[in-house]
Amino acid sequence: AQSVTQLGSHVSVSEGALVLLRCNYSSSVPPYLFWYVQYPNQGLQLLLKYTSAATLVKGINGFEAEFKKSETSFHLTKPSAHMSDAAEYFCAVTANFGNEKLTFGTGTRLTIIP
Amino acid sequence: DTGVSQDPRHKITKRGQNVTFRCDPISEHNRLYWYRQTLGQGPEFLTYFQNEAQLEKSRLLSDRFSAERPKGSFSTLEIQRTEQGDSAMYLCASSLPLGLAGGSTDTQYFGPGTRLTVL
């Protein structure tokens, strides 16, 4: 069984400040981990994914995440927040032995303060 | 690549009515997934297909729900005798065939969703 926990349902940062969204996972098998972003009334767009290659993963829009097995974490960061980053962010996990179903966290709503 | 499309985008229905949603995956994607997302929650897995075969169904998928993918291309999700608790966003996603994705797991590409409101 797999699960993810996203700490903080709401995060607010000032424009230009560091963005840090937290995700911890639980998995009985080596996981594949994903971050998706969802804008209002839209589907999910992939930001980045970890698939057991490099532990530091770079994604779109300046986001990156680091897989830390010892901490069972996959936190999402961006050095400088932009107003357009305001959205809902979801961490997800799947097993790494096939195109398996995704198990999502409950999401973190990111607000950017001008 | 036209992306995953879903129709309709919005559906309002009265309790007890049947509704059907359609999903058209990215061409050549043989895996197709359905998820449900309620307000303030992450998407929850409902079911998935590989080609026309339905490989897994969640316990969330009650007997009132049925999904099909008759020719391995588009899929439909039908809800019979809708209840107010069925109100949610229904998301469809598709992914590349195993072995062609440069790894054992590839990205699931999501459609815009169908928002269902049951009055």
Side-chain angles (χ1 to χ4, degrees):
Chain A
Q2 299 163 305
S3 65
V4 292
T5 301
Q6 292 185 241
L7 298 176
S9 58
H10 291 84
V11 170
S12 296
V13 301
S14 298
E15 190 176 14
L18 171 72
V19 175
L20 171 60
L21 305 182
R22 300 178 185 274
C23 173
N24 287 88
Y25 71 90
S26 173
S27 179
S28 56
V29 297
Y32 281 11
L33 293 156
F34 304 79
W35 275 99
Y36 282 85
V37 61
Q38 186 176 36
Y39 297 98
N41 298 313
Q42 294 186 27
L44 284 78
Q45 180 183 8
L46 181 73
L47 282 177
L48 49 80
K49 63 182 180 182
Y50 166 75
T51 57
S52 73
T55 56
L56 181 62
V57 181
K58 294 187 183 298
I60 62 171
N61 302 338
F63 284 95
E64 64 180 38
E66 186 172 8
F67 174 73
K68 292 187 177 181
K69 184 178 179 180
S70 61
E71 300 177 8
T72 62
S73 69
F74 190 58
H75 301 331
L76 182 71
T77 60
K78 181 175 180 177
S80 178
H82 191 272
M83 295 300 294
S84 61
D85 295 327
E88 187 96 22
Y89 291 80
F90 293 95
C91 182
V93 63
T94 187
N96 71 340
F97 47 77
N99 299 67
E100 299 294 325
K101 62 187 178 187
L102 292 167
T103 300
F104 286 87
T106 52
T108 298
R109 180 167 300 278
L110 177 64
T111 300
I112 309 299
I113 304 167
Chain B
D1 179 0
T2 57
V4 178
S5 62
Q6 293 187 245
D7 183 68
R9 292 291 306 277
H10 303 274
K11 179 69 176 179
I12 300 174
T13 190
K14 293 182 179 179
R15 184 166 53 93
Q17 297 295 306
N18 298 344
V19 294
T20 300
F21 310 139
R22 176 178 170 127
C23 171
D24 287 88
I26 295 171
S27 59
E28 298 180 354
H29 280 197
N30 75 339
R31 288 249 176 160
L32 186 148
Y33 307 78
W34 285 99
Y35 293 85
R36 181 171 68 185
Q37 184 179 21
T38 53
L39 202 60
Q41 298 296 317
E44 295 175 296
F45 170 79
L46 292 178
T47 188
Y48 82 92
F49 294 84
Q50 179 164 304
N51 299 313
E52 65 276 7
Q54 189 172 18
L55 296 187
E56 185 175 347
K57 293 169 57 175
S58 165
R59 285 173 294 178
L60 292 174
L61 215 63
S62 76
D63 291 344
R64 297 184 298 104
F65 288 71
S66 63
E68 295 182 341
R69 196 182 183 197
K71 297 182 179 180
S73 56
F74 72 91
S75 174
T76 58
L77 178 67
E78 181 183 16
I79 309 174
Q80 296 182 328
R81 305 181 303 281
T82 53
E83 302 173 356
Q84 289 184 324
D86 297 331
S87 295
M89 175 80 87
Y90 290 84
L91 295 165
C92 176
S94 69
S95 66
L96 278 167
L98 277 171
L100 298 183
S104 60
T105 293
D106 191 45
T107 303
Q108 291 182 28
Y109 294 89
F110 282 80
T114 294
R115 182 168 295 283
L116 173 65
T117 302
V118 181
L119 302 176

